[in-house]
């Protein structure tokens, strides 16, 4: 009702003013109601009982096809032009509208149930000085409510007080951002003192001024005015609707935003509607068909006019014209009559069948046990049912690296402390020893709080720490203090860490095992066990992380009163802020960092600084002033952080390992052989990304060259891109060759395409974030695209989420190719939404990517099965379905066209009306669905064996405008046979007993029987893979036809419904004649024989890759795969820094500001020779060419299948 009221309000000129600032007062409903803020009721449903029918029909008739069929039905109700009964269109139309309406009603009823369930939840609300049970939907802005443990947060609340010490609460935000780890929120001290005193809460009259409703989950700005004092509010004082209260007995909150104004509802906007390239082509083809239909009807209308003038006068004696109708008007009416008759060129069942096929192919993905990941109990999921066939046409894949190619499960691998490297093992001769699973691990039994799952091999580091080395102990003390991990200790000594990123947890766990155990924290203290001794540090402040600072710091006071700043961050950032005395140590540590980068490890530099008490007091006061300002708060805080983080003393560096997922190199190799280009878009530093590229088989030593674009100016980037392009293709023109064309409905959309340029050999391109920012500018983007598309592999490093989406959009715009983006984190969402197909990996970074994706699964290796098997089959099935569907309907319609020349262009139908009604709904519906749901040219293992089978889909060879024209020509030929052979056979034919059977009804029966038999034989020719279901559908549809025909043409039906079933006795009189069956046989032979001959000749002269592989399948069993050699380990000489993700972090734990630290994944470039993954067990990733077969065993028509 709210939307209706707002609509009428706008009509009356009362348009709601846009909210610029929210102002509310606690416990004052009358004051807050004056602002007309939304209450807490939500409405996600679209209809109610009164609006469902009109609104749903209105939505359905917005589809051009549905409106077209209603128009046809109206024409059929006009007796002057209709030669077909209205039910021939009405029955299928009502059926389709009803099915869609039932589906929409079911969806909306579920939404209503969900809304009612949420709106009727009960919560304690403070009203008139007492707590009352109220429904959620009755909660108003300004109310104070009480939440208890494990309850959902009712609305967006300002946290006032809680049961926990220091007014902390713990919330789970899985419903908001997919992350299951707990977040900490903390109330202001001034409100926290109220506790659960109901009288004090009832008397609370604080006023809040804050930002208007918005969808930013990570930011909140506002002030609380209480007793004349102003207090700053930020995101950590706010509990958002959708969160769940955990480990907190109770808390009180003040409602700031309710219902549709909450950040959860503000973020529930509609996802971009994606449509496949076949959908777009279908729109254009349907428009062309409408034009073709109009031209056919015009020809027949002109024919009618000519016939009426020349021949019609002879019939007026016994068929007089109606008053006022002459030849011209008769011609006009016959035009509309033929529009009705020939409308089957665009049958309504086409749209229903397409949706059924897509739904069926989506279920195959959901049910595929080979894409099920047992470790996390995660099956593959098709989250949308409208994009399946697009999976068979992918040309470009854009992949994240962190958690997508790598496991995102971090282990502390190596470190450098005070210039000495730890983590490697050496023998007596000083040679490095390779660490394997059998290598002895360090014994941590001396530490009763150690995590026994932690594995480390270098005993010398433990000895160094236990000997009391001050640098080593300070190193691990920093790791135990400088983080945002939340500890949970259910039983004494049994610690669990809730880390906001896997590498945070790895570093704190490492410190724990080496004797510096993080035990507990409050907003003002951190307690750790230092080599068995309990030490509590006072936490003064945490200096926030953001993507510019790329570091975080904590300032703590030890029990002795010593003030220290501990800092960790990207090495380049830390090194700039070191004291000059660290120069030599920096050189040594840099060498260690280079080694770690060569192994694909994630690195981090650590430093500290002792602070003066007087300076700290002055700095803290300025920090407080900056933190409560409303304008320029972040800029002022950054300046203060820069000031204090100077002259740091370097401690060393950490190296965290994140191994590749199982099967990643094999998957990438397979996809490359299917001529799919893979671009990696990552936030990692260049060296790390490059090493991961080598370990994934994306970059290979045998590549002719790998270009690195790292210039810091637009001119420099242009020069580097041009030099790379000229080296790959010396004759390449300076200006790109743009092909301009028009596309879309009515050809209104202008498109530009950059043509591919020929390159001899394979190349790779690595470009960093700074250079990419310049390259994406309008004057450079085509140069970037040309150069990148010449390369087999492209790696973009240090990119922001926005740049990821921009790269995808650039390729979509100028390459006219189908793109797929795959990622697992929140920073991949923009890329996933921008691509034609978005794939989410349910990994360690929450479920944000999955929630925005079209398809999801747990491991990157399943991507090759999704594309090479499910995608290819879906595309093949959809194209085969469309070709056959248009063929059978054009043939059906063209027979009407030829018949017009023999019936005086009178718009008489050549078939029985009931046959016309049931042709697409009953007689031909199931066989084509059976083929479209079960057909496959080769099975899944052969699809993996020959990835080149995928390439025809990329070029859209199976269903395009040319294929459509060929289909029309085939239909035209078949219709000529199907009309003229039965016509000639029946022309002067008599029965066995000498009676005449050359009547209209007998001819109609013969024509429609021939048509149905030919259609089924053609379907059998198109079917490559037979199942019992296919057999049942084909034979069942023929049996149904004869059963229904004999029933409808029986005496009984004629006696009951005389006007509806006029074909009395036709079936039994005609179908008992041998010449009728001979005519059916001859017609079928003449229709099918040329098709078989043409296909045979085509396979001999121009075999496709499918023909070659299917020939191969018939000749031999699937061969055993060849063993793989692991690639050699590659050591980089470049230094790697720590690459943070581009997500704002919140570190101030005094106010529990969140901190989200994402380290760039770096992995060892080692391929595993053996793996127990399902991929290896099925061995689908191995590839060989047909040419590997001995020459003498090949048939003459077989050509070599080259590697592409």
């Amino acid at each position: 009702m709210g939307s209706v009221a707002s609509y009428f309000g706008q009509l009356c000129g009362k348009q709601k003013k846009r909210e610029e600032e929210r102002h509310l007062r606690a416990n004052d409903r009358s004051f807050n109601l004056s602002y007309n803020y939304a209450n807490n009721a939500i409405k996600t449903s679209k209809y109610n009982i009164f609006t469902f029918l009109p609104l749903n029909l209105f939505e359905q008739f917005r589809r051009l096809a549905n409106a077209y069929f209603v128009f046809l039905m109206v024409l059929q109700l006009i007796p002057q032009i209709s030669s077909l009964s209205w039910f021939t269109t009405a029955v299928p139309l009502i059926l389709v509208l009803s099915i869609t309406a039932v589906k929409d009603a079911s969806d909306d009823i579920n939404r209503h149930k969900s809304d009612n369930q949420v709106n009727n939840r009960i919560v304690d609300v403070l009203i008139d000085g007492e707590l009352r049970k109220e429904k959620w939907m009755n909660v108003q802005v300004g109310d104070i409510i009480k939440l208890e443990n494990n309850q959902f947060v009712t609305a967006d609340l300002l946290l006032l007080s809680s049961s926990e010490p220091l007014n902390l609460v713990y919330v789970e935000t899985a419903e908001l951002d997919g992350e299951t780890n707990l977040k900490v929120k903390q109330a202001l001290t001034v409100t926290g003192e109220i506790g659960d005193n109901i009288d004090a809460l009832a008397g609370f009259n604080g006023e809040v001024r804050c930002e208007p409703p918005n969808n930013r989950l990570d930011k909140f700005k506002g002030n609380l005015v209480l007793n004349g004092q102003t207090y700053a509010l930020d995101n950590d004082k706010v509990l958002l609707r959708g969160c769940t209260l955990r480990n907190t007995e109770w808390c009180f909150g003040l409602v700031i935003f309710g219902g549709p104004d909450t950040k959860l509802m503000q973020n529930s906007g509609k996802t971009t509607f994606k449509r496949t390239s076949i959908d777009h082509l279908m729109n254009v083809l349907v428009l062309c068909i409408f034009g073709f239909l109009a031209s056919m009807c015009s020809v027949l209308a002109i024919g009618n006019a000519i016939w009426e003038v020349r021949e019609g006068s002879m019939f007026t004696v016994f068929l007089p014209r109606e008053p006022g109708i002459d030849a011209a008007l008769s011609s006009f009416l016959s035009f509309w009559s033929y529009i009705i008759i020939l409308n089957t060129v665009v049958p309504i069942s086409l749209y229903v069948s397409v949706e059924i096929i897509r739904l069926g192919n989506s279920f195959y993905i959901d049910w595929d046990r080979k894409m099920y990941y047992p470790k996390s109990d995660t099956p593959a999921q098709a989250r949308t049912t409208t994009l399946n066939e697009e999976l068979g046409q992918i040309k470009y894949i854009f992949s994240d690296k962190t958690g997508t190619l790598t496991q995102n499960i971090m282990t502390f691998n190596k470190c450098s402390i005070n210039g000495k490297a730890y983590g490697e093992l050496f023998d007596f001769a000083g040679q490095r020893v390779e660490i394997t699973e059998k290598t002895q691990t360090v014994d941590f039994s001396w530490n009763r709080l150690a995590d026994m799952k932690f594995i480390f091999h270098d005993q010398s580091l433990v000895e160094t720490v236990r000997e009391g080395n001050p640098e080593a102990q300070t190193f691990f003390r920093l790791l135990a203090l400088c983080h945002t991990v939340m500890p949970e200790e259910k039983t004494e000594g049994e610690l669990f860490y809730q880390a906001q990123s896997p590498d945070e947890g790895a570093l704190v766990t490492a410190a724990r095992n080496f004797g510096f155990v993080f035990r507990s924290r409050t907003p003002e203290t951190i307690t750790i066990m230092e080599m068995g001794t309990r030490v509590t540090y006072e936490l003064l402040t945490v200096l926030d992380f953001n993507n510019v600072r790329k570091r975080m710091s904590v300032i703590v006071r030890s029990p002795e009163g010593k003030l220290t700043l501990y800092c960790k961050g990207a090495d380049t950032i830390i090194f700039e802020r070191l004291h000059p005395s660290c120069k030599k140590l920096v050189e040594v540590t840099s060498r260690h960092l280079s080694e770690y980068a060569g192994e694909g490890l994630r690195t981090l530099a650590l430093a500290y600084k002792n602070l003066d008490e007087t300076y700290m007091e002055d700095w803290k006061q300025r920090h407080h002033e900056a933190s409560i300002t409303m304008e320029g708060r972040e800029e002022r805080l950054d300046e203060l952080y820069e000031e204090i983080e100077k002259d740091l003393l370097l401690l060393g560096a950490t190296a965290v390992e994140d191994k590749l997922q199982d099967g990643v190199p094999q998957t990438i190799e397979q996809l490359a052989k299917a001529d799919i280009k893979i671009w990696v878009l990552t936030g990692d530093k260049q060296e790390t990304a490059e090493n991961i590229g080598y370990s994934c088989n994306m970059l290979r030593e045998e590549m002719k060259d790998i270009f690195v674009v790292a210039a810091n100016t637009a001119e420099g980037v242009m020069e580097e891109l041009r030099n790379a392009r000229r080296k790959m293709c010396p004759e390449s023109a300076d200006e790109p060759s743009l092909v301009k064309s028009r596309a879309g409905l009515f050809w209104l959309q202008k498109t530009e395409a950059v043509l591919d340029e020929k390159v001899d050999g394979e190349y790779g391109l690595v470009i960093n974030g700074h250079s990419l920012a310049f390259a994406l500018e309008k004057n450079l983007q085509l140069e970037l695209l040309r150069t990148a598309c010449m390369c087999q592999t492209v790696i973009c490093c240090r990119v922001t989420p926005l740049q990821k989406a921009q790269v995808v959009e650039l390729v979509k715009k100028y390459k006219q190719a189908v793109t797929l983006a795959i990622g697992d984190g929140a920073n991949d969402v923009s890329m996933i939404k921008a691509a034609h197909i978005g794939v989410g990996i349910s990994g360690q970074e929450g479920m944000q990517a999955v929630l925005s994706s079209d398809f999801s699964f747990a491991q990157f290796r399943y991507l090759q099965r999704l594309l090479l098997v499910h995608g290819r089959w879906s595309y093949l099935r959809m194209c085969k379905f469309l070709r056959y569907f248009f063929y059978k309907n054009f043939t059906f319609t063209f027979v009407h066209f030829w018949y017009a020349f023999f019936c005086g262009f009178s718009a008489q139908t050549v078939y029985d009306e009931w046959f016309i009604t049931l042709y697409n709904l009953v007689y031909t519906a199931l066989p084509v669905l059976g083929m479209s749901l079960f057909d496959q040219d080769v099975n899944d293992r052969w699809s993996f064996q020959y990835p080149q089978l995928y390439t025809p889909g990329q070029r859209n060879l199976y269903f395009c405008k040319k294929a459509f024209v060929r289909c029309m020509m085939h239909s035209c030929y078949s219709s000529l046979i199907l009309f003229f052979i039965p016509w000639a056979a029946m022309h002067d034919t008599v029965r066995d007993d000498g009676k005449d059977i050359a009547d209209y009804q007998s001819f109609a029966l013969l024509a429609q029987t021939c048509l149905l038999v030919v259609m089924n034989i053609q379907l059998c020719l198109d079917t490559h893979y037979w199942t019992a279901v296919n057999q049942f559908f084909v034979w069942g549809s023929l049996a149904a036809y004869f059963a229904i025909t004999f029933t409808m043409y029986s005496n009984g039906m004629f006696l009951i419904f005389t006007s509806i079933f006029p074909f009395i006795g036709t079936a039994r009189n005609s179908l008992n004649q041998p010449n009728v069956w001979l005519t059916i046989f001859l017609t079928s032979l003449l229709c099918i024989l040329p098709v078989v001959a043409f296909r045979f000749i085509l396979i001999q002269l121009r075999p496709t890759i499918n023909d070659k592989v299917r020939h191969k399948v018939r000749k031999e069993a699937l061969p055993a795969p060849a063993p793989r050699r692991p690639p050699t380990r590659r050591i980089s000489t470049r230094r790697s820094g720590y690459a943070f993700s581009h997500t704002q972090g919140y570190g101030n734990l005094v106010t529990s500001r969140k901190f989200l630290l994402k380290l760039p994944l770096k992995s060892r470039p080692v391929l595993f020779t053996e793996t127990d993954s399902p991929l290896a067990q099925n061995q689908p990733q191995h590839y060989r060419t047909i040419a590997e077969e001995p020459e003498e065993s090949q048939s003459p028509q077989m050509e070599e299948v080259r590697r592409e």
Side-chain angles (χ1 to χ4, degrees), residues 419 579-591 650:
H579 192 274
S581 62
C582 299
K583 189 174 181 181
K584 287 187 177 179
L585 182 56
V586 167
E587 292 176 4
V588 178
T589 307
S590 295
R591 285 201 300 272
L650 182 63

Side-chain angles (χ1 to χ4, degrees), residues 194-232:
I194 300 174
D196 58 351
N197 186 326
I198 299 299
D199 293 333
L201 286 164
F204 180 74
N205 63 349
E207 291 192 20
V208 173
R209 289 182 181 272
C210 66
E211 61 190 20
N214 60 72
N215 61 2
R216 295 190 299 273
L217 293 174
D218 58 347
K219 288 190 178 181
F220 179 83
K221 286 185 181 178
N223 285 328
L224 170 68
V225 179
L226 182 64
N227 301 328
Q229 295 289 319
T230 301
Y231 304 90

Side-chain angles (χ1 to χ4, degrees), residues 894-1073:
F894 281 155
V895 174
H896 276 301
F897 183 78
W898 307 128
Y899 182 63
F901 292 89
F902 292 83
C903 68
F905 304 96
S906 61
Q908 185 183 11
T909 58
V910 70
Y911 313 115
D912 170 24
E913 285 184 357
W914 281 106
F915 180 80
I916 294 171
T917 306
L918 300 176
Y919 177 69
N920 279 311
L921 282 181
V922 178
Y923 300 147
T924 61
L926 290 179
V928 69
L929 279 180
M931 178 185 71
S932 308
L933 288 173
F934 301 112
D935 200 47
Q936 47 186 261
D937 52 351
V938 293
N939 65 24
D940 55 345
R941 297 194 67 184
W942 282 98
S943 298
F944 282 127
Q945 194 73 17
Y946 296 101
Q948 312 100 310
L949 286 166
Y950 190 81
T951 52
Q954 296 169 329
R955 298 195 297 245
N956 206 13
L957 296 181
Y958 293 144
F959 189 74
C960 54
K961 290 170 186 172
K962 285 182 181 177
F964 178 71
V965 171
R966 285 197 297 269
C967 176
M968 283 184 64
M969 292 169 64
H970 183 197
S971 297
C972 188
Y973 166 76
S974 296
S975 65
L976 285 167
I977 299 294
L978 285 165
F979 176 75
F980 285 103
I981 297 295
W983 175 80
M986 296 286 286
H987 188 56
D988 287 319
T989 304
V990 293
R991 288 165 47 85
D992 293 343
D993 55 9
K995 292 180 181 177
D996 189 14
I997 61 167
D999 61 282
Y1000 160 71
Q1001 292 186 346
S1002 298
F1003 173 71
L1005 176 66
L1006 178 58
Q1008 65 197 36
T1009 306
C1010 288
L1011 173 73
L1012 202 60
V1013 170
V1014 168
M1015 291 304 107
N1016 277 283
I1017 296 173
Q1018 182 67 44
L1019 182 98
C1020 295
L1021 283 179
D1022 288 344
T1023 303
H1024 288 141
Y1025 185 74
W1026 283 95
T1027 66
V1029 178
N1030 293 74
Q1031 297 275 5
F1032 175 75
F1033 284 168
V1034 169
W1035 297 112
S1037 68
L1038 283 172
Y1041 165 70
F1042 286 110
I1044 292 170
T1045 301
F1046 276 103
T1047 303
M1048 286 183 173
Y1049 295 179
S1050 65
N1051 296 6
M1053 294 300 286
F1054 176 76
L1055 292 172
I1056 301 170
F1057 306 104
T1058 306
S1059 61
I1060 299 177
F1061 300 106
F1063 278 48
I1064 179 172
T1066 306
R1068 62 174 181 267
N1069 287 338
S1070 297
L1071 295 179
N1072 64 358
Q1073 297 301 305

Side-chain angles (χ1 to χ4, degrees), residues 804-839:
K804 290 184 177 185
Q806 287 174 333
V807 171
V808 175
E809 292 287 0
L810 179 65
V811 174
K812 275 176 67 178
K813 182 178 179 182
Y814 288 108
K815 295 308 290 186
Q816 306 298 317
V818 183
T819 58
L820 179 146
I822 180 168
D824 73 322
N827 58 336
D828 304 315
V829 168
S830 57
M831 170 177 75
I832 283 171
K833 287 186 173 180
H836 292 98
I837 302 280
V839 177

